[in-house]
Amino acid sequence: MTDQDPQVLPLTSGVVRRRLTVAVWWSALAWPVLALALTPLLLWWLDMGIDDLTTAEGAAGVVPAVVAVAYFSWQAAGSVRAEQRTIADKARELDAAASLPGNEAALSRAAHDFGTALLSAYSPFSTRLLPRQAAATAARQVLREAEAEDLKLATVQFVQELARMRP
C-alpha cells in the first residue's frame, strides 16, 4: 500500500468512535486525578494536614474546590463531545454533497472541511484525538476521491457511519 494509491482507509468509523469515547472519559477523569495529585502540595503550602480536612470547617473549605474540579471535568468532556459533533456534522455535509450529482465544488469543499475536522480534533489537554498520520492519510484519500468525483464504496460507508455518530 503506497501513500499515492491507498486501497483501504487507515481509519475506520469504529476506531474513531472508540477513540472519541475514551477521550471523553479520560478528559473528564483527568481533572480529579490532577486535583488528588496536587492536594498534598496544596495542604503543605497552606500548612494543613489531612486531619484538618476531617473537621466541619475543613470539609466546608474543600467544597468550592470540589465544585470547581467537577466543573472543569464537565467542560473537558464537553469539549471532546464538541469535537465529535464537528466530525459528525462535517461527515453529514460530505455525505449530502456526495449525493448531489454535478456538484463538484461543494463536494470538494465538503471533503476539505471533513479532512480538516479529522486533523484538528484535539482534547482540552492539547493532545490529538486521532492518530495524526492515519487521520492525514484518510483526509487526503477522501479529498483525492472527492476531487476525482469517484468516492469509493468504503469511503462512502466510512463517512456515512461517522455522520450517524452521536456525541
Side-chain angles (χ1 to χ4, degrees):
M1 181 166 84
T2 65
D3 190 37
Q4 297 298 335
D5 189 24
Q7 299 297 321
V8 183
L9 284 170
L11 288 175
T12 64
S13 60
V15 168
V16 172
R17 281 194 308 267
R18 277 190 301 274
R19 288 188 66 98
L20 291 172
T21 300
V22 167
V24 166
W25 283 103
W26 280 113
S27 294
L29 290 174
W31 283 103
V33 168
L34 285 172
L36 287 175
L38 294 176
T39 297
L41 179 65
L42 182 61
L43 290 175
W44 171 79
W45 186 60
L46 294 173
D47 196 27
M48 293 175 66
I50 296 290
D51 298 334
D52 295 331
L53 294 179
T54 59
T55 65
E57 294 169 348
V62 174
V63 170
V66 170
V67 170
V69 168
Y71 173 76
F72 289 138
S73 294
W74 181 262
Q75 289 299 317
S79 168
V80 175
R81 283 193 301 268
E83 293 287 351
Q84 186 176 4
R85 267 191 304 277
T86 300
I87 291 171
D89 290 344
K90 297 303 178 185
R92 278 191 285 280
E93 289 174 14
L94 179 57
D95 188 34
S99 65
L100 297 174
N103 200 2
E104 300 85 23
L107 181 61
S108 178
R109 183 81 221 150
H112 182 270
D113 291 346
F114 176 71
T116 301
L118 286 178
L119 287 170
S120 65
Y122 277 89
S123 78
F125 298 98
S126 296
T127 57
R128 289 187 178 280
L129 296 177
L130 300 173
R132 179 167 174 67
Q133 186 172 359
T137 303
R140 278 194 301 269
Q141 182 174 344
V142 169
L143 183 60
R144 218 178 1 253
E145 290 177 14
E147 287 176 346
E149 297 177 38
D150 181 32
L151 286 175
K152 294 181 178 32
L153 180 61
T155 304
V156 171
Q157 288 174 343
F158 170 70
V159 170
Q160 288 174 343
E161 288 172 7
L162 287 180
R164 288 191 297 267
M165 183 171 52
R166 297 278 181 228

